[in-house]
Amino acid sequence: MEDYDVRSAASILASVKEQEARFEQLTRALEEERRNVNLQLERANLPPNPPTSQPLPWQQVVMQEQSPSNATSLAMMQEPQEVVEETVTIEEDPGTPTSHVSVVTSDDGTTRRTETKGISANVKVTKMVKTVTTRTVRQVPLGPDGLPLPEGTSPLGSYTDSIDRRYLKNGSDRFITPQATSTLTRSYNNSYNDSYGETPESQYIRHYGLHDGYADLTDNYGSLSRGVNYRPPRYPYMPNSYRPENSYTLPIRKDDYGHVAQPQVPMGSSTVDLNRSQPERFQPEPYGLEDDRRSLGPEEEEPYELEPDYSTANRRTLPGANRGRTHREPLRDGPRVRGYPDDPIEAELIDERHPYIHGMYSAPLAQPERGSMASLDRMGGRRSPSIDSIRKDPRWRDPDLPEVIAMLGHPIDPVKSNAAAYLQHLCYENDKIKKDVRQLKGIPVLVGLLDHPKSEVHRKACGALRNISYGKDNDNKVAIKNCDGIPALIRLLRKTNDMEVRELITGTLWNLSSYEPLKMVIINHGLQTLTNEVIIPHSGWEHEPNEDSKPRDAEWTTVFKNTSGCLRNVSSDGAEARRRLRECEGLVDALLHALQSAVGKKDMDNKSVENCVCIMRNLSYHVHKEVPGAEKYQDPSALQAPGSAGPQRKKKDDAGCFGGKKAKEEWFNQGRKNCENDKSYDTLDLPKRTEPSKGFELLYQPEVVRLYLSLLTESQNYNTLEAAAGALQNLSAGQWTWSSYIRATVRKEKGLPILVELLRSDSDKVVRAVAIALRNLSIDRRNKDLIGSYAMRDLVSNLPSGQQRPAKNLEEDTVVAILNTIHEIVTDSSENARSLIQAQAIEKLVAINRTSQSARETKAASHVLQTVWSYKELRNALTKDGWNKSHFQPTVTATPKATKNGKPGYDDTTLPLMEKNQDGYSTIDQRDKDCKYKTGDGSVDLTEREPLKNDTNRKHYIRSNRPAVSLVDACDVKPQPVDSWV
Amino acid sequence: MSFVPGQPVTAVVERIEIQKLRQGENLILGFSIGGGIDQDPGQNPFSEDKSDKGIYVTRISPKGPADLAGLKIGDKIMQVNGWDMTMVTHDQAHKKLTKKKEDVVRLLVTRKSLEEAVKQSKGSYPKH
């Protein structure tokens, strides 16, 4: 609890910087007196007791103002030997023409100075500064439990000190610049004495500058832990002023620094407690920030995403400490609860305090933490021991929601921030409260606070907005948008360097981006900012790479993850959204760089990579139609009249010979009838590039093929696999030159075996994406032959039927996709049809055709069967196996109109109509829908899908490339696990 | 449970008898295997010891013969009809399992849950 005071003191001091000199003087004068301070005197001070039921062992001075209009904040400075507390009350206008300063020295060694400045009735600034001098530190011996006083030079001292120090440093660093790491570490190592080597003032001042009222929080934490440690020894051994001071906490103080209540927790002197002392850590817990954060991205395996960002020693320790709320609470309350019964004095104090609780306007807020706990309890949420203790005091009351929202507009900043923090806590996983906040018009107020200059205020407001924006209730999201919350968030993102705030902002945007109607709004307001502020810097990409500097790797920070998740969502909003993203300067370049860096580091199972690949996939969709200048690259053959589809395709396929016919390839080509008539693509060079491609051009350069294939080979994340396969699918669709290159490049890069292998994936959607990609790839004739020869078995094995039914139960969509791929492969290739028969597919196809419950499956299967039957040269073999024509006819009235060439009609939804000259397959469209669906609810529902995640991360054991090996020109694939049916 | 060459293998095993199903010319057991001394053991998701090169059951056809006989995904196959399976190549295992002239295979398998069950019951070994 001392921590609280310290924090507040620090913050206040900062604002009262100019007066510090005077205080010093006062302090000195009081030196003597301070030694004489004893318990009784302190008790006398008790009146302004904290609403808390717990006695607080800190030295603090409380300033309170009785009238609600007056805001009071306490600032306390704590030195080992002296305590200076300052309370400043500021009413509306800080402009101060007149000021009255009064200094009061009380018996207890406390000096108070009251400064009142008044401009008008409404504008009034009241500052009260109280200096308390105590000789606590050195005098405190070991506690009964063997705990030495933290403050003194006692063994614990170093421990505590380092905490404080660290905390302070941490606080200041964090606010000053995001890269505070080094400082933090340093401070961590500092001993207690060192930390006090600096004058308290200087430390406090620094804090002030950084974050006004809020610096207090940080400071308080450090001191809190100290205070906690004191406690046990204090009662028995310290009859002096120190104790009394501690025991009474100003109600106001508490109000302002509700979270401070936490400091009580760190009773034990374990690392965990140390961590506690961190402000960031600390807050999340009570307010459920952490968890909520987690909810942002279901994938967060690590409870604390923050940590990676701040590679601080403290941070690292946090995870353990923070992990479970349940875990923590016991710690926090344990000591307190224990303390009460044992301590008559404390009990007394509590009693005395009660009267004060009621008088306070802000009483409810005073104990934000407890209050929140209690309220949670009330609301049927979790409860903790602390609640019980709170409840012992019937006079304690939590603020109700309208009150909290009203406090958001309170003139005093700490009240605002506490109210926002409390709101955030209340909203955590509570849709009802979110709705209530919305209906009570709390959202516009919170959005308004985003522009607040004080970091603590906009941070808390942002936290509350993030929790509110999370969930299925899209009205909350709309409400944020309607009061211009999105531009406000973006503005704040541009302004702040605070990593935590940036995480909150991007997290909120991620949440918002899951709602379709908001996607374009986010693009309009934030795309370039998000790209410039987050994506580019964190991706490691540089516009103009410095010759000397090594290329930087991407940093998988939470901010990057959140932002990429947000962009992933908005990238699915249709052609216009895709255009905007493609043309957003540096975005594609940075994403590619990030992915390449992921591949380079073999670190590609994380969520950020998944997000990036998904964006790339979405942006690759319809590139051949949507990219500026795409017409230039259209494949002329594609522009021919429909009906000539057959021949066209052959020509195209020849294009597949791109890259020259190597001897090995030749082997595959034997007997290809169309091999002669091709003007091969060997002669057709890639479109000339005068300069390195950049921006959206990078999307479809053949170079990306290798990237996607690496991801397909290495990643264990199903979503990433699906997206990478989807990207190849998108790129290989269409009739423009680039897609021909892509198709050929996939083959040359030995991508076919990789894809075929993934047909055995346990993940339905991976199988589907791969199947469709294979279908698009088989537009290339050579690919078609290879796939027909070597992928058929795997394709067929994914089909349901009989005993060999695959273990995985594939969805209808997937089965249809596979059937359509098979159809594509056997079309125009009796060789492939023969492979199909040899793969024992007929039995399955007939079974599907006859018995499947799904009309689409039935239809797709019957198309394949008809095509197979159309090869007269195969009928002999088929009849030998016991099949006859009836097996190959559509069973139901599905009546595929068999077209000329014996080509059956297509199932429109999934089958592409090559004849239409469309770039491709309508499947892609569908796929896109699919993407949208997935990405759309992705961000939000990700959480709900958490269970899937594990699945996703499972290793693909079931990969084998035995058959696939031969798909490549050079069969040098290294052995992989084989998996064979018996 | 990994196998150390030269060391006796101690394992809690279950005997499973599978009646092959005749499907056309093929005899079907209805499961698939992975592993073998010629395979990369690191990629075996089922083994506890990632250097274990044993033969593992990777997939089971629902309602297939293996399924009906009680074979489970992740089971490690110790023996097939008396033949050791802990030190064989993938293909050797495959051959032993797919002999055309045998209609029945008797497997000795071990799985984690078995070991645990035994541990819990402290010494009361399951049949066999």
Side-chain angles (χ1 to χ4, degrees), chain A residues 713 716 757 759-762 794 797-798 801-809 840 843 954-960 962 974-982, chain B residues 21 23 26-35 38-46 54 56 58-65 73 90-91 93-94 97-98:
Chain A
T713 312
Q716 309 289 346
E757 203 179 305
L759 284 174
R760 307 175 189 186
S761 167
D762 290 334
D794 287 299
S797 73
N798 275 313
S801 113
Q803 286 299 329
Q804 287 280 17
R805 186 179 191 88
K808 38 187 171 179
N809 231 342
Q840 322 259 326
E843 182 184 350
R954 245 169 59 199
K955 298 229 167 193
H956 293 273
Y957 179 59
I958 319 241
R959 280 185 171 185
S960 131
R962 221 206 228 157
K974 90 177 175 210
Q976 287 198 4
V978 177
D979 180 82
S980 40
W981 283 101
V982 291
Chain B
L21 186 80
Q23 206 174 62
N26 299 322
L27 286 171
I28 291 171
L29 284 163
F31 69 97
S32 73
I33 56 169
D38 56 340
Q39 303 293 313
D40 174 8
Q43 299 190 50
N44 181 343
F46 304 110
Y56 281 77
T58 57
R59 290 179 285 183
I60 304 261
S61 307
K63 305 274 168 18
I73 288 181
H90 187 89
D91 280 346
H94 189 260
L97 285 164
T98 54

Side-chain angles (χ1 to χ4, degrees), chain B residues 83-101:
Chain B
W83 296 95
D84 172 65
M85 286 292 124
T86 62
M87 282 286 278
V88 295
T89 64
H90 187 89
D91 280 346
Q92 285 167 337
H94 189 260
K95 272 193 197 124
K96 287 283 184 271
L97 285 164
T98 54
K99 293 197 171 170
K100 294 261 189 237
K101 53 186 181 196

